[in-house]
Amino acid sequence: MTQLPAGTDPAELARTALAVAVEAGDLIVHDRPARLGVAETKSSRTDVVTVMDQRSQDHLLSRLGELRPDDGFAGEERGGRAGTSGITWVVDPIDGTVNYLYEIPAYCVSVAAVVGDPTRDGAWRPVAGAVVNPVTGERYSAWSGGGAWRAVGDGTPQRLRVAETDLGLALCGTGFGYDADRRAWQAALLTHVLPRVRDIRRLGSAALDLCRVAEGSLDVYYERGLNPWDMAAGWLVATEAGALVTDLDGQAPREAMTVAGAPGLHADLLALLVDGVGRVGPRSGR
Ligand code: IPD
């Protein structure tokens, strides 16, 4: 079931997403301990969780529980909640955790309201979302049919529109997972893409990459291995700005691949990736 529940206003959900993402963003900046350490690791030694990832998620869980008690909640870190309303909040409490650890100001809080089952590839879609970079003050938001918007500081929100160019002139964002085998496969695919685009950027936050496609400060983006919390809000921001965001088969983006760009660019990048994947061979690793 991927229909918006009757009586639900996606614009209202986007306002809620933005409000709680701003709060969590303030928290991760202002309550960051002087000596931020790695609290634990997940899929590999480099897949880190800081104390602030968990605190940010706990804040989002508690605030969304107050504001929308019937909704479900699924986040990157520990803790979730089943809901009854048909809406699930899918959150990344810090997307770009490695940037956060190193104090590189390219991280964000990503909050999306989705319908369907976010634990199953292709069985869900975002209907409202917000992505907030608390260091730069950039706030992106979108809701189904309502467009994609960006505001900075106290500025008025500006409507976003993707850029169209040809692939050879396109600035292409991508990212790499934490698993060594996956990274080796991603590097092999990259050798096929890099000679055929203007250049590559690896900024370190998938949610911000997708928002950059929406505003045209990246032309295209692709990555294998995204989780729903990495992509949910950014997927909608990009789509509402006119991008196509799909997997390699043109279906909903999934763990196997996310490809984003204005329609013509998306088609060309998709063809390049399909060809590249054919040459690189079967994926190994997670
Ligand atoms: C990661 C970032 C990164 C992407 C990885 C993600 P995290 O999320 O979005 O840019 O390349 O695939 O896992 O771990 O910082 O929340």
Side-chain angles (χ1 to χ4, degrees), residues 156-181:
T156 313
Q158 304 292 316
R159 192 157 187 167
L160 301 179
R161 191 72 211 158
V162 284
E164 194 58 277
T165 180
D166 71 78
L167 191 59
L169 293 176
L171 189 59
C172 176
T174 192
F176 310 110
Y178 295 108
D179 173 86
D181 286 342

mmCIF file with all atom_site columns, all heavy atoms in Angstrom, residues 156-181:
data_model
loop_
_atom_site.group_PDB
_atom_site.id
_atom_site.type_symbol
_atom_site.label_atom_id
_atom_site.label_alt_id
_atom_site.label_comp_id
_atom_site.label_asym_id
_atom_site.label_entity_id
_atom_site.label_seq_id
_atom_site.pdbx_PDB_ins_code
_atom_site.Cartn_x
_atom_site.Cartn_y
_atom_site.Cartn_z
_atom_site.occupancy
_atom_site.B_iso_or_equiv
_atom_site.pdbx_formal_charge
_atom_site.auth_seq_id
_atom_site.auth_comp_id
_atom_site.auth_asym_id
_atom_site.auth_atom_id
_atom_site.pdbx_PDB_model_num
ATOM 1   N N   . THR A 1 156 ? 14.103 33.453 2.396   1.00 0.00 ? 156 THR A N   1
ATOM 2   C CA  . THR A 1 156 ? 12.852 32.890 1.881   1.00 0.00 ? 156 THR A CA  1
ATOM 3   C C   . THR A 1 156 ? 13.161 31.606 1.116   1.00 0.00 ? 156 THR A C   1
ATOM 4   O O   . THR A 1 156 ? 14.123 31.566 0.343   1.00 0.00 ? 156 THR A O   1
ATOM 5   C CB  . THR A 1 156 ? 12.219 33.889 0.874   1.00 0.00 ? 156 THR A CB  1
ATOM 6   O OG1 . THR A 1 156 ? 12.244 35.170 1.480   1.00 0.00 ? 156 THR A OG1 1
ATOM 7   C CG2 . THR A 1 156 ? 10.815 33.511 0.501   1.00 0.00 ? 156 THR A CG2 1
ATOM 8   N N   . PRO A 1 157 ? 12.350 30.569 1.281   1.00 0.00 ? 157 PRO A N   1
ATOM 9   C CA  . PRO A 1 157 ? 12.580 29.338 0.520   1.00 0.00 ? 157 PRO A CA  1
ATOM 10  C C   . PRO A 1 157 ? 12.495 29.571 -0.990  1.00 0.00 ? 157 PRO A C   1
ATOM 11  O O   . PRO A 1 157 ? 11.627 30.295 -1.465  1.00 0.00 ? 157 PRO A O   1
ATOM 12  C CB  . PRO A 1 157 ? 11.460 28.408 0.994   1.00 0.00 ? 157 PRO A CB  1
ATOM 13  C CG  . PRO A 1 157 ? 11.044 28.949 2.321   1.00 0.00 ? 157 PRO A CG  1
ATOM 14  C CD  . PRO A 1 157 ? 11.255 30.435 2.251   1.00 0.00 ? 157 PRO A CD  1
ATOM 15  N N   . GLN A 1 158 ? 13.442 28.974 -1.710  1.00 0.00 ? 158 GLN A N   1
ATOM 16  C CA  . GLN A 1 158 ? 13.462 29.072 -3.172  1.00 0.00 ? 158 GLN A CA  1
ATOM 17  C C   . GLN A 1 158 ? 13.097 27.710 -3.753  1.00 0.00 ? 158 GLN A C   1
ATOM 18  O O   . GLN A 1 158 ? 13.558 26.683 -3.255  1.00 0.00 ? 158 GLN A O   1
ATOM 19  C CB  . GLN A 1 158 ? 14.871 29.428 -3.669  1.00 0.00 ? 158 GLN A CB  1
ATOM 20  C CG  . GLN A 1 158 ? 15.443 30.698 -3.082  1.00 0.00 ? 158 GLN A CG  1
ATOM 21  C CD  . GLN A 1 158 ? 14.701 31.940 -3.553  1.00 0.00 ? 158 GLN A CD  1
ATOM 22  O OE1 . GLN A 1 158 ? 14.391 32.066 -4.725  1.00 0.00 ? 158 GLN A OE1 1
ATOM 23  N NE2 . GLN A 1 158 ? 14.397 32.834 -2.623  1.00 0.00 ? 158 GLN A NE2 1
ATOM 24  N N   . ARG A 1 159 ? 12.296 27.746 -4.807  1.00 0.00 ? 159 ARG A N   1
ATOM 25  C CA  . ARG A 1 159 ? 11.906 26.479 -5.443  1.00 0.00 ? 159 ARG A CA  1
ATOM 26  C C   . ARG A 1 159 ? 13.080 25.927 -6.264  1.00 0.00 ? 159 ARG A C   1
ATOM 27  O O   . ARG A 1 159 ? 13.789 26.688 -6.931  1.00 0.00 ? 159 ARG A O   1
ATOM 28  C CB  . ARG A 1 159 ? 10.695 26.696 -6.351  1.00 0.00 ? 159 ARG A CB  1
ATOM 29  C CG  . ARG A 1 159 ? 10.101 25.385 -6.779  1.00 0.00 ? 159 ARG A CG  1
ATOM 30  C CD  . ARG A 1 159 ? 8.673  25.495 -7.181  1.00 0.00 ? 159 ARG A CD  1
ATOM 31  N NE  . ARG A 1 159 ? 8.153  24.152 -7.407  1.00 0.00 ? 159 ARG A NE  1
ATOM 32  C CZ  . ARG A 1 159 ? 6.884  23.875 -7.539  1.00 0.00 ? 159 ARG A CZ  1
ATOM 33  N NH1 . ARG A 1 159 ? 5.992  24.812 -7.450  1.00 0.00 ? 159 ARG A NH1 1
ATOM 34  N NH2 . ARG A 1 159 ? 6.480  22.628 -7.737  1.00 0.00 ? 159 ARG A NH2 1
ATOM 35  N N   . LEU A 1 160 ? 13.279 24.633 -6.205  1.00 0.00 ? 160 LEU A N   1
ATOM 36  C CA  . LEU A 1 160 ? 14.448 24.016 -6.847  1.00 0.00 ? 160 LEU A CA  1
ATOM 37  C C   . LEU A 1 160 ? 14.070 23.388 -8.189  1.00 0.00 ? 160 LEU A C   1
ATOM 38  O O   . LEU A 1 160 ? 12.951 22.893 -8.367  1.00 0.00 ? 160 LEU A O   1
ATOM 39  C CB  . LEU A 1 160 ? 15.036 22.928 -5.942  1.00 0.00 ? 160 LEU A CB  1
ATOM 40  C CG  . LEU A 1 160 ? 15.488 23.405 -4.565  1.00 0.00 ? 160 LEU A CG  1
ATOM 41  C CD1 . LEU A 1 160 ? 16.026 22.233 -3.748  1.00 0.00 ? 160 LEU A CD1 1
ATOM 42  C CD2 . LEU A 1 160 ? 16.556 24.492 -4.698  1.00 0.00 ? 160 LEU A CD2 1
ATOM 43  N N   . ARG A 1 161 ? 15.067 23.391 -9.079  1.00 0.00 ? 161 ARG A N   1
ATOM 44  C CA  . ARG A 1 161 ? 14.881 22.792 -10.398 1.00 0.00 ? 161 ARG A CA  1
ATOM 45  C C   . ARG A 1 161 ? 16.196 22.141 -10.818 1.00 0.00 ? 161 ARG A C   1
ATOM 46  O O   . ARG A 1 161 ? 17.255 22.758 -10.692 1.00 0.00 ? 161 ARG A O   1
ATOM 47  C CB  . ARG A 1 161 ? 14.503 23.907 -11.389 1.00 0.00 ? 161 ARG A CB  1
ATOM 48  C CG  . ARG A 1 161 ? 14.027 23.449 -12.717 1.00 0.00 ? 161 ARG A CG  1
ATOM 49  C CD  . ARG A 1 161 ? 12.631 22.838 -12.661 1.00 0.00 ? 161 ARG A CD  1
ATOM 50  N NE  . ARG A 1 161 ? 12.504 21.799 -13.702 1.00 0.00 ? 161 ARG A NE  1
ATOM 51  C CZ  . ARG A 1 161 ? 11.619 20.822 -13.669 1.00 0.00 ? 161 ARG A CZ  1
ATOM 52  N NH1 . ARG A 1 161 ? 10.763 20.721 -12.677 1.00 0.00 ? 161 ARG A NH1 1
ATOM 53  N NH2 . ARG A 1 161 ? 11.580 19.943 -14.631 1.00 0.00 ? 161 ARG A NH2 1
ATOM 54  N N   . VAL A 1 162 ? 16.132 20.903 -11.263 1.00 0.00 ? 162 VAL A N   1
ATOM 55  C CA  . VAL A 1 162 ? 17.354 20.201 -11.681 1.00 0.00 ? 162 VAL A CA  1
ATOM 56  C C   . VAL A 1 162 ? 17.981 20.850 -12.909 1.00 0.00 ? 162 VAL A C   1
ATOM 57  O O   . VAL A 1 162 ? 17.306 21.515 -13.689 1.00 0.00 ? 162 VAL A O   1
ATOM 58  C CB  . VAL A 1 162 ? 17.076 18.725 -12.034 1.00 0.00 ? 162 VAL A CB  1
ATOM 59  C CG1 . VAL A 1 162 ? 16.888 17.891 -10.799 1.00 0.00 ? 162 VAL A CG1 1
ATOM 60  C CG2 . VAL A 1 162 ? 15.901 18.600 -12.982 1.00 0.00 ? 162 VAL A CG2 1
ATOM 61  N N   . ALA A 1 163 ? 19.268 20.585 -13.097 1.00 0.00 ? 163 ALA A N   1
ATOM 62  C CA  . ALA A 1 163 ? 19.982 21.088 -14.269 1.00 0.00 ? 163 ALA A CA  1
ATOM 63  C C   . ALA A 1 163 ? 20.011 20.016 -15.349 1.00 0.00 ? 163 ALA A C   1
ATOM 64  O O   . ALA A 1 163 ? 20.115 18.828 -15.053 1.00 0.00 ? 163 ALA A O   1
ATOM 65  C CB  . ALA A 1 163 ? 21.410 21.445 -13.867 1.00 0.00 ? 163 ALA A CB  1
ATOM 66  N N   . GLU A 1 164 ? 19.910 20.445 -16.605 1.00 0.00 ? 164 GLU A N   1
ATOM 67  C CA  . GLU A 1 164 ? 20.012 19.499 -17.747 1.00 0.00 ? 164 GLU A CA  1
ATOM 68  C C   . GLU A 1 164 ? 21.252 19.906 -18.543 1.00 0.00 ? 164 GLU A C   1
ATOM 69  O O   . GLU A 1 164 ? 21.454 21.086 -18.828 1.00 0.00 ? 164 GLU A O   1
ATOM 70  C CB  . GLU A 1 164 ? 18.704 19.617 -18.546 1.00 0.00 ? 164 GLU A CB  1
ATOM 71  C CG  . GLU A 1 164 ? 18.341 18.580 -19.568 1.00 0.00 ? 164 GLU A CG  1
ATOM 72  C CD  . GLU A 1 164 ? 18.221 17.135 -19.132 1.00 0.00 ? 164 GLU A CD  1
ATOM 73  O OE1 . GLU A 1 164 ? 19.277 16.483 -19.057 1.00 0.00 ? 164 GLU A OE1 1
ATOM 74  O OE2 . GLU A 1 164 ? 17.110 16.627 -18.920 1.00 0.00 ? 164 GLU A OE2 1
ATOM 75  N N   . THR A 1 165 ? 22.121 18.971 -18.807 1.00 0.00 ? 165 THR A N   1
ATOM 76  C CA  . THR A 1 165 ? 23.284 19.216 -19.657 1.00 0.00 ? 165 THR A CA  1
ATOM 77  C C   . THR A 1 165 ? 23.591 17.890 -20.329 1.00 0.00 ? 165 THR A C   1
ATOM 78  O O   . THR A 1 165 ? 22.799 16.959 -20.235 1.00 0.00 ? 165 THR A O   1
ATOM 79  C CB  . THR A 1 165 ? 24.482 19.751 -18.823 1.00 0.00 ? 165 THR A CB  1
ATOM 80  O OG1 . THR A 1 165 ? 25.587 19.967 -19.695 1.00 0.00 ? 165 THR A OG1 1
ATOM 81  C CG2 . THR A 1 165 ? 24.915 18.806 -17.729 1.00 0.00 ? 165 THR A CG2 1
ATOM 82  N N   . ASP A 1 166 ? 24.719 17.772 -21.014 1.00 0.00 ? 166 ASP A N   1
ATOM 83  C CA  . ASP A 1 166 ? 25.003 16.431 -21.522 1.00 0.00 ? 166 ASP A CA  1
ATOM 84  C C   . ASP A 1 166 ? 25.986 15.740 -20.594 1.00 0.00 ? 166 ASP A C   1
ATOM 85  O O   . ASP A 1 166 ? 26.711 16.392 -19.830 1.00 0.00 ? 166 ASP A O   1
ATOM 86  C CB  . ASP A 1 166 ? 25.411 16.433 -22.998 1.00 0.00 ? 166 ASP A CB  1
ATOM 87  C CG  . ASP A 1 166 ? 26.762 17.024 -23.225 1.00 0.00 ? 166 ASP A CG  1
ATOM 88  O OD1 . ASP A 1 166 ? 27.766 16.341 -22.985 1.00 0.00 ? 166 ASP A OD1 1
ATOM 89  O OD2 . ASP A 1 166 ? 26.797 18.209 -23.632 1.00 0.00 ? 166 ASP A OD2 1
ATOM 90  N N   . LEU A 1 167 ? 25.964 14.436 -20.652 1.00 0.00 ? 167 LEU A N   1
ATOM 91  C CA  . LEU A 1 167 ? 26.671 13.651 -19.638 1.00 0.00 ? 167 LEU A CA  1
ATOM 92  C C   . LEU A 1 167 ? 28.164 13.971 -19.608 1.00 0.00 ? 167 LEU A C   1
ATOM 93  O O   . LEU A 1 167 ? 28.770 14.016 -18.536 1.00 0.00 ? 167 LEU A O   1
ATOM 94  C CB  . LEU A 1 167 ? 26.433 12.153 -19.876 1.00 0.00 ? 167 LEU A CB  1
ATOM 95  C CG  . LEU A 1 167 ? 26.880 11.224 -18.751 1.00 0.00 ? 167 LEU A CG  1
ATOM 96  C CD1 . LEU A 1 167 ? 26.171 11.551 -17.438 1.00 0.00 ? 167 LEU A CD1 1
ATOM 97  C CD2 . LEU A 1 167 ? 26.630 9.767  -19.131 1.00 0.00 ? 167 LEU A CD2 1
ATOM 98  N N   . GLY A 1 168 ? 28.734 14.227 -20.762 1.00 0.00 ? 168 GLY A N   1
ATOM 99  C CA  . GLY A 1 168 ? 30.168 14.538 -20.812 1.00 0.00 ? 168 GLY A CA  1
ATOM 100 C C   . GLY A 1 168 ? 30.524 15.809 -20.065 1.00 0.00 ? 168 GLY A C   1
ATOM 101 O O   . GLY A 1 168 ? 31.688 16.011 -19.700 1.00 0.00 ? 168 GLY A O   1
ATOM 102 N N   . LEU A 1 169 ? 29.532 16.671 -19.833 1.00 0.00 ? 169 LEU A N   1
ATOM 103 C CA  . LEU A 1 169 ? 29.764 17.920 -19.094 1.00 0.00 ? 169 LEU A CA  1
ATOM 104 C C   . LEU A 1 169 ? 29.202 17.862 -17.678 1.00 0.00 ? 169 LEU A C   1
ATOM 105 O O   . LEU A 1 169 ? 29.180 18.869 -16.970 1.00 0.00 ? 169 LEU A O   1
ATOM 106 C CB  . LEU A 1 169 ? 29.116 19.093 -19.842 1.00 0.00 ? 169 LEU A CB  1
ATOM 107 C CG  . LEU A 1 169 ? 29.737 19.438 -21.192 1.00 0.00 ? 169 LEU A CG  1
ATOM 108 C CD1 . LEU A 1 169 ? 28.946 20.560 -21.866 1.00 0.00 ? 169 LEU A CD1 1
ATOM 109 C CD2 . LEU A 1 169 ? 31.199 19.867 -21.010 1.00 0.00 ? 169 LEU A CD2 1
ATOM 110 N N   . ALA A 1 170 ? 28.735 16.687 -17.279 1.00 0.00 ? 170 ALA A N   1
ATOM 111 C CA  . ALA A 1 170 ? 28.024 16.583 -16.001 1.00 0.00 ? 170 ALA A CA  1
ATOM 112 C C   . ALA A 1 170 ? 28.983 16.362 -14.833 1.00 0.00 ? 170 ALA A C   1
ATOM 113 O O   . ALA A 1 170 ? 29.914 15.555 -14.916 1.00 0.00 ? 170 ALA A O   1
ATOM 114 C CB  . ALA A 1 170 ? 27.025 15.430 -16.067 1.00 0.00 ? 170 ALA A CB  1
ATOM 115 N N   . LEU A 1 171 ? 28.704 17.092 -13.747 1.00 0.00 ? 171 LEU A N   1
ATOM 116 C CA  . LEU A 1 171 ? 29.414 16.855 -12.488 1.00 0.00 ? 171 LEU A CA  1
ATOM 117 C C   . LEU A 1 171 ? 28.629 15.778 -11.741 1.00 0.00 ? 171 LEU A C   1
ATOM 118 O O   . LEU A 1 171 ? 27.436 15.951 -11.465 1.00 0.00 ? 171 LEU A O   1
ATOM 119 C CB  . LEU A 1 171 ? 29.492 18.148 -11.675 1.00 0.00 ? 171 LEU A CB  1
ATOM 120 C CG  . LEU A 1 171 ? 30.388 18.103 -10.443 1.00 0.00 ? 171 LEU A CG  1
ATOM 121 C CD1 . LEU A 1 171 ? 31.830 17.767 -10.808 1.00 0.00 ? 171 LEU A CD1 1
ATOM 122 C CD2 . LEU A 1 171 ? 30.344 19.450 -9.708  1.00 0.00 ? 171 LEU A CD2 1
ATOM 123 N N   . CYS A 1 172 ? 29.293 14.691 -11.433 1.00 0.00 ? 172 CYS A N   1
ATOM 124 C CA  . CYS A 1 172 ? 28.611 13.473 -10.974 1.00 0.00 ? 172 CYS A CA  1
ATOM 125 C C   . CYS A 1 172 ? 28.986 13.159 -9.535  1.00 0.00 ? 172 CYS A C   1
ATOM 126 O O   . CYS A 1 172 ? 30.159 12.939 -9.227  1.00 0.00 ? 172 CYS A O   1
ATOM 127 C CB  . CYS A 1 172 ? 29.033 12.315 -11.893 1.00 0.00 ? 172 CYS A CB  1
ATOM 128 S SG  . CYS A 1 172 ? 28.370 10.724 -11.419 1.00 0.00 ? 172 CYS A SG  1
ATOM 129 N N   . GLY A 1 173 ? 28.002 13.148 -8.663  1.00 0.00 ? 173 GLY A N   1
ATOM 130 C CA  . GLY A 1 173 ? 28.235 12.727 -7.283  1.00 0.00 ? 173 GLY A CA  1
ATOM 131 C C   . GLY A 1 173 ? 28.136 11.215 -7.174  1.00 0.00 ? 173 GLY A C   1
ATOM 132 O O   . GLY A 1 173 ? 27.388 10.575 -7.918  1.00 0.00 ? 173 GLY A O   1
ATOM 133 N N   . THR A 1 174 ? 28.892 10.658 -6.262  1.00 0.00 ? 174 THR A N   1
ATOM 134 C CA  . THR A 1 174 ? 28.744 9.237  -5.951  1.00 0.00 ? 174 THR A CA  1
ATOM 135 C C   . THR A 1 174 ? 29.232 9.017  -4.523  1.00 0.00 ? 174 THR A C   1
ATOM 136 O O   . THR A 1 174 ? 29.607 9.963  -3.826  1.00 0.00 ? 174 THR A O   1
ATOM 137 C CB  . THR A 1 174 ? 29.488 8.348  -6.964  1.00 0.00 ? 174 THR A CB  1
ATOM 138 O OG1 . THR A 1 174 ? 29.084 6.984  -6.773  1.00 0.00 ? 174 THR A OG1 1
ATOM 139 C CG2 . THR A 1 174 ? 30.996 8.441  -6.823  1.00 0.00 ? 174 THR A CG2 1
ATOM 140 N N   . GLY A 1 175 ? 29.166 7.794  -4.076  1.00 0.00 ? 175 GLY A N   1
ATOM 141 C CA  . GLY A 1 175 ? 29.624 7.475  -2.731  1.00 0.00 ? 175 GLY A CA  1
ATOM 142 C C   . GLY A 1 175 ? 30.026 6.018  -2.665  1.00 0.00 ? 175 GLY A C   1
ATOM 143 O O   . GLY A 1 175 ? 29.811 5.253  -3.615  1.00 0.00 ? 175 GLY A O   1
ATOM 144 N N   . PHE A 1 176 ? 30.606 5.657  -1.555  1.00 0.00 ? 176 PHE A N   1
ATOM 145 C CA  . PHE A 1 176 ? 31.121 4.297  -1.358  1.00 0.00 ? 176 PHE A CA  1
ATOM 146 C C   . PHE A 1 176 ? 30.623 3.765  -0.027  1.00 0.00 ? 176 PHE A C   1
ATOM 147 O O   . PHE A 1 176 ? 30.543 4.507  0.956   1.00 0.00 ? 176 PHE A O   1
ATOM 148 C CB  . PHE A 1 176 ? 32.655 4.305  -1.392  1.00 0.00 ? 176 PHE A CB  1
ATOM 149 C CG  . PHE A 1 176 ? 33.208 5.030  -2.585  1.00 0.00 ? 176 PHE A CG  1
ATOM 150 C CD1 . PHE A 1 176 ? 33.853 6.245  -2.442  1.00 0.00 ? 176 PHE A CD1 1
ATOM 151 C CD2 . PHE A 1 176 ? 33.046 4.511  -3.866  1.00 0.00 ? 176 PHE A CD2 1
ATOM 152 C CE1 . PHE A 1 176 ? 34.335 6.929  -3.548  1.00 0.00 ? 176 PHE A CE1 1
ATOM 153 C CE2 . PHE A 1 176 ? 33.523 5.194  -4.984  1.00 0.00 ? 176 PHE A CE2 1
ATOM 154 C CZ  . PHE A 1 176 ? 34.169 6.406  -4.816  1.00 0.00 ? 176 PHE A CZ  1
ATOM 155 N N   . GLY A 1 177 ? 30.344 2.472  0.005   1.00 0.00 ? 177 GLY A N   1
ATOM 156 C CA  . GLY A 1 177 ? 29.881 1.850  1.235   1.00 0.00 ? 177 GLY A CA  1
ATOM 157 C C   . GLY A 1 177 ? 31.033 1.596  2.196   1.00 0.00 ? 177 GLY A C   1
ATOM 158 O O   . GLY A 1 177 ? 32.165 2.041  1.979   1.00 0.00 ? 177 GLY A O   1
ATOM 159 N N   . TYR A 1 178 ? 30.744 0.861  3.251   1.00 0.00 ? 178 TYR A N   1
ATOM 160 C CA  . TYR A 1 178 ? 31.754 0.609  4.277   1.00 0.00 ? 178 TYR A CA  1
ATOM 161 C C   . TYR A 1 178 ? 32.399 -0.768 4.145   1.00 0.00 ? 178 TYR A C   1
ATOM 162 O O   . TYR A 1 178 ? 33.427 -1.033 4.734   1.00 0.00 ? 178 TYR A O   1
ATOM 163 C CB  . TYR A 1 178 ? 31.122 0.744  5.671   1.00 0.00 ? 178 TYR A CB  1
ATOM 164 C CG  . TYR A 1 178 ? 30.652 2.151  5.975   1.00 0.00 ? 178 TYR A CG  1
ATOM 165 C CD1 . TYR A 1 178 ? 29.300 2.474  6.020   1.00 0.00 ? 178 TYR A CD1 1
ATOM 166 C CD2 . TYR A 1 178 ? 31.572 3.161  6.227   1.00 0.00 ? 178 TYR A CD2 1
ATOM 167 C CE1 . TYR A 1 178 ? 28.872 3.767  6.310   1.00 0.00 ? 178 TYR A CE1 1
ATOM 168 C CE2 . TYR A 1 178 ? 31.165 4.453  6.508   1.00 0.00 ? 178 TYR A CE2 1
ATOM 169 C CZ  . TYR A 1 178 ? 29.813 4.743  6.550   1.00 0.00 ? 178 TYR A CZ  1
ATOM 170 O OH  . TYR A 1 178 ? 29.406 6.027  6.829   1.00 0.00 ? 178 TYR A OH  1
ATOM 171 N N   . ASP A 1 179 ? 31.758 -1.642 3.373   1.00 0.00 ? 179 ASP A N   1
ATOM 172 C CA  . ASP A 1 179 ? 32.259 -3.007 3.217   1.00 0.00 ? 179 ASP A CA  1
ATOM 173 C C   . ASP A 1 179 ? 33.371 -3.030 2.148   1.00 0.00 ? 179 ASP A C   1
ATOM 174 O O   . ASP A 1 179 ? 33.215 -2.453 1.060   1.00 0.00 ? 179 ASP A O   1
ATOM 175 C CB  . ASP A 1 179 ? 31.071 -3.893 2.784   1.00 0.00 ? 179 ASP A CB  1
ATOM 176 C CG  . ASP A 1 179 ? 31.490 -5.290 2.414   1.00 0.00 ? 179 ASP A CG  1
ATOM 177 O OD1 . ASP A 1 179 ? 31.584 -6.122 3.322   1.00 0.00 ? 179 ASP A OD1 1
ATOM 178 O OD2 . ASP A 1 179 ? 31.735 -5.539 1.211   1.00 0.00 ? 179 ASP A OD2 1
ATOM 179 N N   . ALA A 1 180 ? 34.496 -3.678 2.448   1.00 0.00 ? 180 ALA A N   1
ATOM 180 C CA  . ALA A 1 180 ? 35.671 -3.622 1.566   1.00 0.00 ? 180 ALA A CA  1
ATOM 181 C C   . ALA A 1 180 ? 35.379 -4.187 0.176   1.00 0.00 ? 180 ALA A C   1
ATOM 182 O O   . ALA A 1 180 ? 35.789 -3.605 -0.840  1.00 0.00 ? 180 ALA A O   1
ATOM 183 C CB  . ALA A 1 180 ? 36.843 -4.367 2.213   1.00 0.00 ? 180 ALA A CB  1
ATOM 184 N N   . ASP A 1 181 ? 34.665 -5.312 0.090   1.00 0.00 ? 181 ASP A N   1
ATOM 185 C CA  . ASP A 1 181 ? 34.372 -5.900 -1.219  1.00 0.00 ? 181 ASP A CA  1
ATOM 186 C C   . ASP A 1 181 ? 33.480 -4.976 -2.044  1.00 0.00 ? 181 ASP A C   1
ATOM 187 O O   . ASP A 1 181 ? 33.652 -4.821 -3.246  1.00 0.00 ? 181 ASP A O   1
ATOM 188 C CB  . ASP A 1 181 ? 33.674 -7.257 -1.056  1.00 0.00 ? 181 ASP A CB  1
ATOM 189 C CG  . ASP A 1 181 ? 34.650 -8.327 -0.598  1.00 0.00 ? 181 ASP A CG  1
ATOM 190 O OD1 . ASP A 1 181 ? 35.868 -8.114 -0.742  1.00 0.00 ? 181 ASP A OD1 1
ATOM 191 O OD2 . ASP A 1 181 ? 34.189 -9.359 -0.087  1.00 0.00 ? 181 ASP A OD2 1
#
